[in-house]
Amino acid sequence: MATIQAERAVATARASRGGKSGLRYGIAFIGPFVALYVVFVLIPVVQAVVMSVHDWDLLGHTREFIGVDNYVRMLWGVDITWSMGHLFWWRLAVLALAAVVVVSAVRRRRLTVWNAAGAIGLVAIAFALGFHPGETGFWYDPRFWTALQNTLLFTAVSTPLIAGLGLVMALALQGGRRGARWYQMAFFLPYILPVSVVTLIWTYFLSPNQGLLAALLEPLGIAPIPWLSSTDTAMIAIIATTVWWTVGFNLVLFAAGLQDVDASLYEAASLDGAGPWGKFIHVTLPGIRHVLLLVMVMQVIASFQVFGQVNIMTGGGPGSATDVVIRHIYQTGFRDFELGYASAMSLVLFAIMLVVSVIQMKYLGKDESK
Amino acid sequence: MTTAAVTSTPSAASSPAPQVRPPARSALRRASAASWYHVAMIVAAVVWLLPMLWMTSLALSDNAALTRETQFLIPRDITLDNLLGVFSVGLTSRWFLNSAVVSIVTTVLTVLLCAMAGYAFARIDFRGKAVVYASVLAGLMIPKEAMFVPLFTMVADVQMHNTYAALILPRIAAPLGVFLMTQFFSKVPHEVEEAARIDGAGPWRTFFFIMLPLARPAMIALAIFTFVQTWNDYLWPLVSATRSEMFTITTGLASLQGNFAQATELGSLMARGLVGSLPLLIIFLLFQRHLIRGISMTSGGK
């Protein structure tokens, strides 16, 4: 009886802080942060929306309302037609993916709203890919499409590479062996370097006549390759640089995740006669599912925003082989002074990133029903 | 740092641990498997660090020797001139100072404000808290790198470009920091606070003298993470600081890479890169556990 009363007293004491004094202290504690957050994070997003419907010149200070013209300029062109055959195989692949989503959902008898929305979204993408300029037509901003394509290519190649290599490295260091901490430090070290130092090292490291790589490949009979000045290899070089730079971060994430996997599950798997591969598939992968999801989402978000390496190492070139969306936005804003159009592109990039991360969370994290 | 990693690895390898006694042969096999493991890992680690070792070697080489040859790992005509010259020639020392001011102030303010907000979100009940917290978490989704255009016009409207304030303030409002601190404070037992309250401490005293000391590990991790991120920031300083005296070391070094004549000053250039990474290398050596813990926290919280 006495304890119940005491508990009640504590509860009311706690609740009393929810009253007037709670609000006062709450505002005092979160106020400074929230003020900066509103000014430097939320208002810029609103500002971006406002700017994107204006012809907003940086120098001339002309701010003319033009509605969706910026978006039309970005996404449309002259004499755009739709045809069945354009990008046929790509569209077929996307449609196949949509079919897989629907079929697997139906087989498991769980056709959720998310599955349906995903399938409809994929069909919509497949449809949209059919648009292209006709014989006398052209996109208003062909550079946007090149940059978007390069960004997607960079993301699609670098994300699995970084996640996969990070996981392999974490597995190699698993189990608290002697020296594992030192190896982890060695692999993690590049991550702390500023992007300009990373590019400094790699621009020269890859250089065909000065670089160490050419000297290392020479005994193997490989002639010096002009990595950064050839359209075929420039993106490969950017991706290799990025992998070297950032894989350590993901190695640490995976290492932390592997520690949390219940060791008794491995023993149970051994008793069931599972080999190393079986353990990896049935114990490790499910055990680190949430880390895998986190790494993939963070990598995709980071990859969509790739800028520094490209801007310093290749300047988007040769030609437009390594041009990416953020660089296009940067140049539109600060070289051509068209801030309205740059904002519109920022928002479209933001929207794409948002959709991709939501999809990843829904599909990769679907079995995480706790 | 590179030297530390390399000199220490052989010592770890030279003593493979045969802790198992029973059958001698299997112990032997295990020992040899362990040494093969270490040989493989050392080779991998050295290969991984090769570009950095090469940079260090070039920074220690004479510039004249570098015009003839650059493809070596042992410094040629070894000299410290490049490293000493970093601070006497050009604006590099100014950039270094800018980076130091911006990174230190950003780190201190970020940690303090995120800790305060995190404490309030975890421990103080007030109306509208859930809505505010949800909107802060939503901020995790907003890509900073993509929102620099409106941020630029905002700062331009108050004519604050090329100031420290412009470089610092937008970086402080980090939703991730608040998220981490809220997670941490919500795990602290309620009894701690109640004891403080019974002793007559108000929320401010409780926060500064009880909760902050408790939160030290989380704060150190957040601080190191913030420092590294701020020191390495590239896009925002690039658009915000247009006068070369206001460059940070990251944007400054990037600007040099376009200007330097091919190989004539390669040693100096590499020395600048080395010096520009030095604070991070030192922090890494001193606090790498905390840094790694900070990264792990971002995954452990979910």
Side-chain angles (χ1 to χ4, degrees), chain A residues 10 13-15 17-19 21-23 25-30 32-34 36-37 39-45 47-48 51 56 58 63 165 169 172-174 177-197 199-205 207-212 214-216 243-245 247-249 252-253 256-257 260 290-291 294 298 301 305 307-308 311-312 326 329-330 333-334 339 342-343 346-347 349-350 353-354 357-358 361 370, chain B residues 1-2 4-5 8-9 12-13 15-17 34 37-38 41-42 44-45 48-52 54-55 66 70-73 113-114 116-117 119-121 123-127 132 135-155 157 169-170 172-175 178 190 193-194 197 203-204 207 225 228-229 231-232 234-235 238-239 249-251 253-254 257 262-263 266 269-270 273 276-277 280-281 284-285 288-289 291-292 295-296 298-299 302:
Chain A
V10 169
R14 270 179 202 158
R17 305 194 69 194
S21 76
L23 187 62
Y25 285 116
I27 290 172
F29 272 98
I30 66 168
F33 174 85
V34 167
L36 286 171
Y37 177 74
V39 172
F40 292 107
V41 179
L42 294 187
I43 291 181
V45 177
Q47 172 89 340
M51 288 171 79
W56 195 299
L58 177 62
R63 282 158 203 194
L165 196 59
M169 286 171 159
L173 300 176
Q174 194 188 6
R177 296 186 207 234
R178 296 185 116 214
R181 200 168 70 85
W182 290 103
Y183 303 136
Q184 189 183 13
M185 273 174 77
F187 294 128
F188 179 75
L189 188 61
Y191 175 73
I192 64 158
L193 297 179
V195 62
S196 51
V197 173
T199 58
L200 174 63
I201 296 175
W202 278 82
T203 307
Y204 284 96
F205 188 75
S207 153
N209 38 32
Q210 289 173 292
L212 193 62
L216 294 174
V243 169
W244 180 79
W245 184 28
V247 84
F249 182 84
V252 169
L253 287 178
D260 294 340
H290 69 287
V291 182
L294 181 83
M298 281 173 80
I301 289 175
Q305 302 178 69
F307 172 70
N311 197 45
I312 305 172
I326 295 276
I329 296 173
Y330 171 71
F334 298 99
L339 293 180
S343 294
S346 300
L347 285 172
L349 180 65
F350 181 16
M353 287 164 66
L354 206 62
S357 8
V358 168
M361 284 181 206
K370 281 181 187 171
Chain B
M1 167 53 233
T2 48
S8 59
T9 34
S15 53
Y37 170 80
H38 286 292
M41 289 314 288
I42 289 168
W48 199 252
L49 293 177
L50 207 59
M52 292 180 76
W54 186 57
M55 169 174 90
L66 293 180
T70 52
Q71 296 162 326
F72 50 75
L73 267 179
L113 295 192
C114 288
M116 279 168 59
Y119 174 67
F121 283 131
R123 279 315 167 77
I124 301 176
D125 288 322
F126 54 92
R127 221 136 54 104
V132 179
S135 76
V136 169
L137 287 192
L140 283 169
M141 303 296 281
I142 298 171
K144 276 211 150 173
E145 300 295 285
M147 285 300 151
F148 63 95
V149 176
L151 202 56
F152 176 90
T153 51
M154 246 178 58
V155 176
D157 283 344
L169 290 176
I172 297 172
V178 171
H190 278 283
E193 257 171 307
E194 264 140 35
R197 200 170 315 132
W204 290 108
F207 175 70
F225 199 65
V228 171
Q229 294 289 317
W231 188 276
N232 291 349
Y234 174 63
L235 183 53
L238 182 68
V239 296
I249 195 87
T250 309
T251 51
L253 281 175
Q257 282 169 54
Q262 276 295 306
L266 192 54
L269 195 54
M270 292 293 177
S277 330
L280 303 173
L281 292 171
F284 176 70
L285 271 187
Q288 52 103 6
R289 264 171 220 235
L291 183 57
I292 283 169
I295 295 168
S296 314
T298 58
S299 76
K302 293 221 166 162

Side-chain angles (χ1 to χ4, degrees), chain A residues 149-171:
Chain A
Q149 205 179 326
N150 286 335
T151 309
L152 291 174
L153 176 72
F154 176 85
T155 307
V157 176
S158 72
T159 304
L161 255 182
I162 290 174
L165 196 59
L167 181 56
V168 167
M169 286 171 159
L171 287 171

